[in-house]
Amino acid sequence: MKAHVAKYPADRSRSALIPLLFVVQRERGGWLDNPGVNFLAKFLDLEVTDVWETATFYSMFNLRPIGRHHIQICKTLSCKIMGEPDITDHICSKLGIKPGETTDDGKFTVTMVECLGSCGTAPMMQIGFDYYEDLTLEKVDKILSDCK
Amino acid sequence: MEIKALGCEPLSLRRVFIKDGHTLDVYRKDGGYKSLKKAMTMTQDAIIQEVKDSALRGRGGAGFPTGMKWSFVPRDNPKPKYIVCNADESEPGSFKDRYLMEYDPHALIEGMLIAGFALGSNTGYIYGRGEYRYLLDIMDVAIKEAREAGILGEKVLGNKDFSFDLHTHTGAGAYICGEETALLSSLEGFRGHPRMKPPFPAIEGLYASPTIVNNVETLTSIPQIIEMGGIKWRDLGTEKSGGTKLWSISGHVKKPGVYELPMGYADMEKFIMKDCGGMLRKDKDLKAVIPGGSSVYIMNAGQIIGQNVTLDYEGLVAAGSMLGTGGMMVMDETVDIMESTKNLTEFYKHESCGWCTPCREGTDWLVKIFNRISTGEGRPEDAQLLLDICDNMEGKSFCPLADAAAWPIQSAIRQFPGDFKKWLFDNVSSNGVKPNVQ
Ligand SMILES: Cc1cc2nc3c(=O)[nH]c(=O)nc-3n(C[C@H](O)[C@H](O)[C@H](O)COP(=O)(O)O)c2cc1C
Ligand code: SF4
Ligand code: FES
């Protein structure tokens, strides 16, 4: 965590807030809980409300528990016209959930997201931080069965 | 997906075709960091002049002349100065910066070092969108290599008067953080709200210090310009649009990808119908193209076919749109333009930062009306209603995101009136499909 703070001028440690929120999110099992946020506020010498103020602005910070594999399907135009709806239907019916939901065993969460900069390899999705591109239904089956 | 240069030698894409071109060793063997050495023998003014001569315009979407932007930095200001690379790349349809960072991270580092030397800065940040974690990891490796080789850090390449260090910084999912002042708020650890301009970042940017924000492609062009000389680089393209440009092309073409073309490439029809392999499905005609990322005017096939549209800033304006980021989205006749416009409007509603009323409320209303239309409840007056809301947003909001939300709608209604008529009068899509109401 100190390495993150060291990137910025000494009196500007707040700049490390977003990178460190990712660290806290990872350490707290994929979402920002109160103990994690309180710890970070203390570490950066910020008010807890300052941390929440920033954290709640950004879509990649989860404010609720989330599945071990966070499937983020791009729903923006290039993916949409290249077959996203079929991919989404397939994944959702396979997992028995709707976008925005988590499977009962806590293994998968499906979220619809906006363009991830892979429009040339549409349709695409991101699981965690990994990109999966040029998706087909067969590819999706393989990717899901590889998720442990 | 294709990655390819057409009508020119690969320049920005050069390292894509060289094995291990992303490593410091190979980059140096290929002439890497020679431009930095050359730049350090020049005066700051001479470097800025080369960039001005090159007619390089910012590749992040706004197209502001880079040399002019650099000349705004007050050299006598005693505050530290910052070079910030905008690697937020969130404009739908745009995916070129990704490949530059993946294949040529040292070109970006070299470009930032030259900018740092020219502007008297000792620190740079690369602000990447949160989803680009793997790219920031690649950049971190390259930065480490450069530090260990004495290229970054104290006394750059032994130059006792120039120190420069560079750090990556991650965003966390917010399109608005691509806007340069919102990016700086975010880099300071705050919500990504844009800031009032003026003062412009060149005068008061990061930590209220003079700051240059430039796009990845802009910065990776700098070593090329220093190596070749500004005029020679400019002459690869046209007098007003210098150099080469990366185009991201997606949607219904056979060979989507990233293409490097000289500015002024002729012409758009050839590019889509021949170079990119033409339509994905042979029996489907071209219907629409959004040529410069989602925020520009949509074009119908009649504006492209037989029109000799040149691919540069001036050519696309003359054809009724804009170059933007060069993110081309191609649609065939199966796409309903009310639906495609609705999709993009949802994007802008989601990404509006909520700071000012016309944009926050406007995008919300627009989506509500689109929802009504798409469930078959559209009314004949809805097209005018959409246009009225756009009028209340365009030019009346705090930052250009609101304009970017209005333009696709205004141009869609103008260029594809038939698609809207079908929905508003007959309550069916342009392909006669009845809405699927749950
Ligand atoms: C809503 C919005 C989003 C933007 N997103 C990006 C982006 O993702 N990447 C980028 O380089 N510029 C983006 N820009 C443009 C930047 O504000 C700025 O003009 C650019 O970073 C300047 O660099 P350049 O002169 O090298 O293009 C965006 C602008 C707006 C208004
Ligand atoms: S125009 Fe939209 S994105 Fe820009 S400041 Fe206003 S609310 Fe935020
Ligand atoms: S539209 Fe899906 S990645 Fe860009």
Side-chain angles (χ1 to χ4, degrees):
Chain A
M1 288 178 72
K2 291 226 173 73
H4 283 287
V5 176
K7 291 181 173 181
Y8 312 96
D11 54 342
R12 301 289 182 176
S13 58
R14 181 168 179 152
S15 275
L17 181 50
I18 292 174
L20 289 179
L21 278 164
F22 275 114
V23 175
V24 170
Q25 175 158 291
R26 189 187 62 217
E27 295 301 316
R28 302 303 295 175
W31 66 293
L32 296 175
D33 61 0
N34 278 319
V37 166
N38 294 346
F39 171 80
L40 183 55
K42 205 174 235 159
F43 180 79
L44 287 176
D45 200 15
L46 292 171
E47 298 294 332
V48 173
T49 48
D50 290 335
V51 177
W52 280 121
E53 183 185 84
T54 294
T56 50
F57 184 82
Y58 296 93
S59 65
M60 292 180 76
F61 294 126
N62 303 311
L63 308 178
R64 269 171 295 153
I66 188 143
R68 278 203 313 291
H69 302 283
H70 187 192
I71 304 176
Q72 300 145 88
I73 309 171
C74 171
K75 65 174 272 286
T76 314
L77 189 53
S78 289
C79 287
K80 174 79 85 199
I81 64 175
M82 292 297 286
E84 169 272 310
D86 291 343
I87 301 286
T88 305
D89 285 350
H90 186 70
I91 293 177
C92 286
S93 70
K94 217 171 152 147
L95 300 179
I97 53 175
K98 290 210 268 303
E101 294 178 352
T102 302
T103 52
D104 288 338
D105 59 1
K107 189 167 170 188
F108 294 104
T109 299
V110 175
T111 310
M112 304 307 293
V113 297
E114 299 290 354
C115 180
L116 291 174
S118 290
C119 331
T121 46
M124 66 80 62
M125 64 183 176
Q126 196 174 26
I127 304 184
F129 282 105
D130 297 326
Y131 276 69
Y132 296 91
E133 305 172 64
D134 287 318
L135 294 177
T136 58
L137 299 187
E138 298 75 52
K139 260 193 182 172
V140 167
D141 286 339
K142 169 96 176 53
I143 294 164
L144 291 185
S145 66
D146 285 348
C147 285
K148 292 285 167 271
Chain B
M1 210 198 74
E2 300 275 331
I3 303 187
K4 198 158 150 180
L6 295 169
C8 60
E9 289 296 310
L11 211 54
S12 294
L13 295 181
R14 186 182 166 86
R15 247 70 62 174
V16 172
F17 306 103
I18 298 179
K19 189 171 178 295
D20 294 329
H22 66 284
T23 61
L24 178 59
D25 267 0
V26 176
Y27 183 70
R28 279 189 130 165
K29 279 196 195 111
D30 191 43
Y33 291 110
K34 281 211 181 112
S35 298
L36 171 63
K37 276 194 196 136
K38 181 172 171 190
M40 290 197 299
T41 66
M42 297 164 68
T43 65
Q44 294 177 320
D45 287 327
I47 298 172
I48 295 173
Q49 191 57 46
E50 291 294 341
V51 178
K52 280 188 177 163
D53 288 346
S54 74
L56 169 63
R57 295 174 59 171
R59 303 297 197 226
F64 193 82
T66 306
M68 196 193 297
K69 190 190 261 189
W70 285 16
S71 68
F72 294 154
V73 172
R75 234 90 57 74
D76 50 3
N77 189 320
K79 286 187 180 170
K81 298 171 187 72
Y82 295 100
I83 308 296
V84 174
C85 170
N86 189 341
D88 195 57
E89 189 162 70
S90 315
E91 174 88 354
S94 186
F95 47 94
K96 63 191 171 68
D97 295 342
R98 211 180 134 187
Y99 296 95
L100 286 176
M101 288 189 280
E102 181 168 340
Y103 287 102
D104 210 358
H106 283 286
L108 176 55
I109 297 175
E110 186 171 6
M112 292 184 75
L113 273 157
I114 295 170
F117 182 80
L119 301 169
S121 161
N122 308 113
T123 313
Y125 292 101
I126 299 170
Y127 183 103
R129 61 181 297 181
E131 296 87 347
Y132 278 180
R133 167 71 55 86
Y134 83 99
L135 290 171
L136 293 179
D137 290 345
I138 291 173
M139 288 308 312
D140 278 333
V141 171
I143 288 171
K144 187 157 170 278
E145 281 181 313
R147 249 185 228 138
E148 284 166 1
I151 297 167
L152 282 171
E154 296 291 319
K155 300 196 188 115
V156 169
L157 289 172
N159 182 332
K160 65 177 176 15
D161 300 320
F162 179 47
S163 299
F164 189 85
D165 210 354
L166 189 54
H167 309 280
T168 56
H169 179 99
T170 176
Y175 168 66
I176 189 60
C177 291
E179 194 283 329
E180 56 185 6
T181 62
L183 183 153
L184 296 173
S185 303
S186 180
L187 183 47
E188 291 178 6
F190 293 90
R191 297 168 79 90
H193 291 304
R195 301 172 179 175
M196 186 71 96
K197 292 197 265 191
F200 288 91
I203 314 288
E204 242 179 73
L206 185 63
Y207 312 133
S209 289
T211 303
I212 284 295
V213 183
N214 273 137
N215 172 259
V216 176
E217 187 187 349
T218 311
L219 287 164
T220 52
S221 302
I222 299 295
Q224 305 162 14
I225 290 168
I226 297 300
E227 183 188 334
M228 298 173 68
I231 303 272
K232 223 174 140 200
W233 192 87
R234 182 197 71 191
D235 288 344
L236 294 169
T238 72
E239 198 177 327
K240 287 199 181 133
S241 301
T244 65
K245 168 87 192 92
L246 295 181
W247 296 83
S248 325
I249 179 158
S250 64
H252 293 144
V253 284
K254 274 218 179 68
K255 296 190 271 183
V258 175
Y259 293 82
E260 180 168 12
L261 309 179
M263 281 286 193
Y265 188 83
D267 65 298
M268 188 168 174
E269 175 182 355
K270 172 174 175 284
F271 178 59
I272 296 170
M273 302 311 279
K274 294 243 160 59
D275 301 332
C276 298
M279 302 312 289
L280 180 65
R281 293 171 284 218
K282 259 216 187 74
D283 58 332
K284 301 284 184 253
D285 286 337
L286 176 69
K287 180 166 181 179
V289 179
I290 301 176
S294 62
S295 303
V296 306
Y297 295 142
I298 190 170
M299 301 167 78
N300 61 33
Q303 290 172 282
I304 300 163
I305 306 296
Q307 299 299 315
N308 300 317
V309 179
T310 57
L311 291 175
D312 54 22
Y313 290 97
E314 295 73 31
L316 282 163
V317 169
S321 188
M322 279 168 275
L323 184 142
T325 62
M328 252 188 224
M329 299 163 117
V330 178
M331 288 164 261
D332 71 19
E333 60 187 86
T334 62
V335 177
D336 178 282
I337 302 302
M338 190 288 292
E339 287 178 338
S340 69
T341 312
K342 171 175 182 271
N343 178 279
L344 293 180
T345 308
E346 287 165 355
F347 169 81
Y348 290 106
K349 171 185 145 69
H350 185 255
E351 302 298 341
S352 165
C353 82
W355 184 254
C356 62
T357 318
C359 170
R360 182 187 60 236
E361 301 295 321
T363 50
D364 197 52
W365 274 108
L366 290 168
V367 167
K368 281 199 179 109
I369 296 164
F370 273 119
N371 279 338
R372 179 165 89 205
I373 297 172
S374 69
T375 49
E377 306 278 313
R379 306 165 196 164
E381 64 274 18
D382 278 349
Q384 191 54 46
L385 189 55
L386 290 170
L387 292 174
D388 288 346
I389 298 173
C390 288
D391 259 358
N392 284 323
M393 293 166 59
E394 191 191 7
K396 301 189 178 79
S397 303
F398 195 71
C399 89
L401 184 139
D403 303 340
W407 293 339
I409 299 174
Q410 293 165 335
S411 53
I413 294 176
R414 197 162 58 228
Q415 307 301 352
F416 298 91
D419 285 28
F420 283 84
K421 269 208 189 92
K422 275 255 193 221
W423 278 107
L424 300 184
F425 289 88
D426 308 335
N427 300 121
V428 293
S429 81
S430 56
N431 303 308
V433 179
K434 287 222 168 60
N436 172 15
V437 189
Q438 277 108 9

